[in-house]
Amino acid sequence: MSVFNGEAFLKQAIESILNQTFTDFEFIIINDGSNDNTLSIIQNYTDSRITLINNEINLGLITSLNKGVSLAKAPLIARMDADDIAFPDRLFNQYQYFQNNPNCNIIGGNYSIISKNTSKMFFIRKNFILHRQINPSTIN
């Protein structure tokens, strides 16, 4: 998870991953040169699954995500944004899907778009994304 000035939803995003039913994961969080309270929020967590990478300057989302991928030790990578809140069984369901569908390269899942209205969040829309199989020979 790369985050730049994400203090508004960061605690909820981090806790939604730390409270997953699937617990065997590494959680790489990249503070991408934030100038709000993002870094201190991340530093308040002492969970051993968290690896904090602190970019002194903002490198941008793609560079930071690539940095995280290069540091990952696990064979599977779950993408998370700092303003996302994961359902508690997200990682378990995605892991099981990959185990049961070895030809699958990438998956998505249920998501709801939420909006912040003062101090209250509410759901706007819910969609479903199916898995995709990518043939590496077709990627240029």
Short mmCIF file of all heavy atoms in Angstrom, two decimals, residues 77 97-98 101-108 129-140:
data_model
loop_
_atom_site.label_atom_id
_atom_site.label_comp_id
_atom_site.label_asym_id
_atom_site.label_seq_id
_atom_site.Cartn_x
_atom_site.Cartn_y
_atom_site.Cartn_z
N ILE A 77 0.52 -11.00 -4.48
CA ILE A 77 0.48 -9.61 -4.03
C ILE A 77 -0.96 -9.12 -4.08
O ILE A 77 -1.64 -9.27 -5.10
CB ILE A 77 1.38 -8.72 -4.90
CG1 ILE A 77 2.84 -9.15 -4.70
CG2 ILE A 77 1.18 -7.25 -4.56
CD1 ILE A 77 3.83 -8.46 -5.60
N TYR A 97 -9.21 -18.51 -3.93
CA TYR A 97 -9.52 -18.48 -5.36
C TYR A 97 -8.29 -18.82 -6.19
O TYR A 97 -8.36 -19.60 -7.14
CB TYR A 97 -10.08 -17.11 -5.76
CG TYR A 97 -10.72 -17.16 -7.13
CD1 TYR A 97 -12.06 -17.47 -7.28
CD2 TYR A 97 -9.96 -16.95 -8.28
CE1 TYR A 97 -12.65 -17.55 -8.53
CE2 TYR A 97 -10.53 -17.04 -9.53
CZ TYR A 97 -11.87 -17.34 -9.65
OH TYR A 97 -12.45 -17.44 -10.89
N PHE A 98 -7.16 -18.25 -5.84
CA PHE A 98 -5.93 -18.56 -6.56
C PHE A 98 -5.57 -20.04 -6.41
O PHE A 98 -5.11 -20.67 -7.36
CB PHE A 98 -4.76 -17.69 -6.10
CG PHE A 98 -4.68 -16.37 -6.79
CD1 PHE A 98 -4.81 -15.19 -6.07
CD2 PHE A 98 -4.48 -16.28 -8.16
CE1 PHE A 98 -4.74 -13.96 -6.70
CE2 PHE A 98 -4.40 -15.06 -8.81
CZ PHE A 98 -4.54 -13.90 -8.07
N ASN A 101 -7.84 -22.00 -8.70
CA ASN A 101 -7.79 -21.60 -10.11
C ASN A 101 -6.35 -21.26 -10.49
O ASN A 101 -6.01 -20.08 -10.66
CB ASN A 101 -8.71 -20.40 -10.36
CG ASN A 101 -10.15 -20.71 -10.07
OD1 ASN A 101 -10.85 -21.26 -10.91
ND2 ASN A 101 -10.60 -20.40 -8.87
N PRO A 102 -5.51 -22.29 -10.65
CA PRO A 102 -4.08 -22.04 -10.86
C PRO A 102 -3.74 -21.30 -12.15
O PRO A 102 -2.65 -20.75 -12.27
CB PRO A 102 -3.46 -23.44 -10.85
CG PRO A 102 -4.59 -24.36 -11.13
CD PRO A 102 -5.83 -23.70 -10.61
N ASN A 103 -4.64 -21.24 -13.11
CA ASN A 103 -4.38 -20.52 -14.36
C ASN A 103 -4.76 -19.05 -14.27
O ASN A 103 -4.57 -18.30 -15.23
CB ASN A 103 -5.12 -21.17 -15.54
CG ASN A 103 -4.55 -22.53 -15.84
OD1 ASN A 103 -3.35 -22.76 -15.73
ND2 ASN A 103 -5.41 -23.46 -16.22
N CYS A 104 -5.29 -18.64 -13.15
CA CYS A 104 -5.70 -17.26 -12.96
C CYS A 104 -4.49 -16.41 -12.58
O CYS A 104 -3.68 -16.80 -11.74
CB CYS A 104 -6.76 -17.18 -11.87
SG CYS A 104 -7.35 -15.52 -11.57
N ASN A 105 -4.36 -15.26 -13.21
CA ASN A 105 -3.23 -14.37 -12.95
C ASN A 105 -3.60 -13.17 -12.09
O ASN A 105 -2.74 -12.61 -11.40
CB ASN A 105 -2.64 -13.83 -14.25
CG ASN A 105 -2.23 -14.93 -15.19
OD1 ASN A 105 -2.97 -15.25 -16.11
ND2 ASN A 105 -1.09 -15.54 -14.95
N ILE A 106 -4.85 -12.72 -12.18
CA ILE A 106 -5.27 -11.52 -11.47
C ILE A 106 -6.76 -11.62 -11.17
O ILE A 106 -7.52 -12.16 -11.97
CB ILE A 106 -4.95 -10.25 -12.29
CG1 ILE A 106 -5.24 -9.00 -11.49
CG2 ILE A 106 -5.69 -10.24 -13.61
CD1 ILE A 106 -4.72 -7.71 -12.15
N ILE A 107 -7.14 -11.17 -9.98
CA ILE A 107 -8.55 -11.17 -9.62
C ILE A 107 -8.92 -9.85 -8.95
O ILE A 107 -8.07 -9.13 -8.44
CB ILE A 107 -8.94 -12.34 -8.68
CG1 ILE A 107 -8.15 -12.28 -7.38
CG2 ILE A 107 -8.78 -13.66 -9.37
CD1 ILE A 107 -8.62 -13.26 -6.32
N GLY A 108 -10.19 -9.57 -8.97
CA GLY A 108 -10.76 -8.47 -8.21
C GLY A 108 -11.90 -9.06 -7.41
O GLY A 108 -12.06 -10.27 -7.36
N ILE A 129 -16.29 -7.66 -9.82
CA ILE A 129 -15.30 -7.87 -10.88
C ILE A 129 -14.91 -9.35 -10.86
O ILE A 129 -14.60 -9.89 -9.80
CB ILE A 129 -14.04 -7.02 -10.65
CG1 ILE A 129 -14.40 -5.54 -10.64
CG2 ILE A 129 -12.99 -7.32 -11.71
CD1 ILE A 129 -13.25 -4.66 -10.26
N LEU A 130 -14.90 -9.99 -11.99
CA LEU A 130 -14.49 -11.39 -12.09
C LEU A 130 -12.99 -11.48 -12.35
O LEU A 130 -12.34 -10.49 -12.64
CB LEU A 130 -15.24 -12.08 -13.23
CG LEU A 130 -16.75 -12.16 -13.06
CD1 LEU A 130 -17.38 -12.74 -14.32
CD2 LEU A 130 -17.12 -12.99 -11.85
N HIS A 131 -12.46 -12.70 -12.27
CA HIS A 131 -11.02 -12.88 -12.48
C HIS A 131 -10.67 -12.74 -13.96
O HIS A 131 -11.52 -12.82 -14.83
CB HIS A 131 -10.57 -14.24 -11.95
CG HIS A 131 -10.77 -15.38 -12.91
ND1 HIS A 131 -11.92 -16.12 -12.96
CD2 HIS A 131 -9.95 -15.88 -13.87
CE1 HIS A 131 -11.80 -17.05 -13.89
NE2 HIS A 131 -10.63 -16.92 -14.46
N ARG A 132 -9.40 -12.51 -14.20
CA ARG A 132 -8.88 -12.40 -15.56
C ARG A 132 -7.68 -13.32 -15.70
O ARG A 132 -6.87 -13.44 -14.78
CB ARG A 132 -8.43 -10.97 -15.87
CG ARG A 132 -9.50 -9.94 -15.72
CD ARG A 132 -10.42 -9.96 -16.94
NE ARG A 132 -11.37 -8.88 -16.87
CZ ARG A 132 -12.65 -9.05 -16.59
NH1 ARG A 132 -13.15 -10.23 -16.37
NH2 ARG A 132 -13.47 -8.02 -16.56
N GLN A 133 -7.59 -13.94 -16.86
CA GLN A 133 -6.41 -14.71 -17.19
C GLN A 133 -5.62 -13.89 -18.20
O GLN A 133 -6.17 -13.43 -19.20
CB GLN A 133 -6.77 -16.06 -17.76
CG GLN A 133 -7.37 -16.97 -16.69
CD GLN A 133 -7.76 -18.30 -17.27
OE1 GLN A 133 -8.56 -18.37 -18.19
NE2 GLN A 133 -7.20 -19.35 -16.73
N ILE A 134 -4.35 -13.70 -17.92
CA ILE A 134 -3.49 -12.90 -18.79
C ILE A 134 -2.48 -13.84 -19.47
O ILE A 134 -1.81 -14.63 -18.81
CB ILE A 134 -2.73 -11.84 -17.98
CG1 ILE A 134 -3.74 -10.89 -17.33
CG2 ILE A 134 -1.78 -11.06 -18.88
CD1 ILE A 134 -3.11 -9.92 -16.35
N ASN A 135 -2.41 -13.73 -20.77
CA ASN A 135 -1.42 -14.49 -21.50
C ASN A 135 -0.18 -13.61 -21.62
O ASN A 135 -0.21 -12.60 -22.34
CB ASN A 135 -1.97 -14.86 -22.89
CG ASN A 135 -0.98 -15.67 -23.69
OD1 ASN A 135 0.19 -15.77 -23.35
ND2 ASN A 135 -1.45 -16.26 -24.78
N PRO A 136 0.91 -13.94 -20.91
CA PRO A 136 2.11 -13.08 -20.92
C PRO A 136 2.66 -12.81 -22.32
O PRO A 136 3.26 -11.77 -22.56
CB PRO A 136 3.12 -13.85 -20.08
CG PRO A 136 2.30 -14.78 -19.25
CD PRO A 136 1.08 -15.11 -20.06
N SER A 137 2.41 -13.70 -23.27
CA SER A 137 2.96 -13.48 -24.62
C SER A 137 2.24 -12.37 -25.37
O SER A 137 2.72 -11.89 -26.38
CB SER A 137 2.88 -14.78 -25.44
OG SER A 137 1.53 -15.15 -25.64
N THR A 138 1.07 -11.92 -24.86
CA THR A 138 0.33 -10.86 -25.53
C THR A 138 0.65 -9.47 -24.95
O THR A 138 0.16 -8.49 -25.44
CB THR A 138 -1.19 -11.09 -25.42
OG1 THR A 138 -1.56 -11.05 -24.05
CG2 THR A 138 -1.57 -12.42 -26.05
N ILE A 139 1.46 -9.42 -23.91
CA ILE A 139 1.81 -8.14 -23.29
C ILE A 139 3.03 -7.57 -23.99
O ILE A 139 4.07 -8.21 -24.10
CB ILE A 139 2.08 -8.31 -21.77
CG1 ILE A 139 0.82 -8.85 -21.09
CG2 ILE A 139 2.52 -7.00 -21.15
CD1 ILE A 139 1.03 -9.22 -19.64
N ASN A 140 2.92 -6.36 -24.45
CA ASN A 140 4.05 -5.70 -25.14
C ASN A 140 4.81 -4.83 -24.19
O ASN A 140 4.35 -4.15 -23.40
CB ASN A 140 3.55 -4.87 -26.31
CG ASN A 140 2.96 -5.77 -27.37
OD1 ASN A 140 3.43 -6.87 -27.57
ND2 ASN A 140 1.94 -5.26 -28.06
#
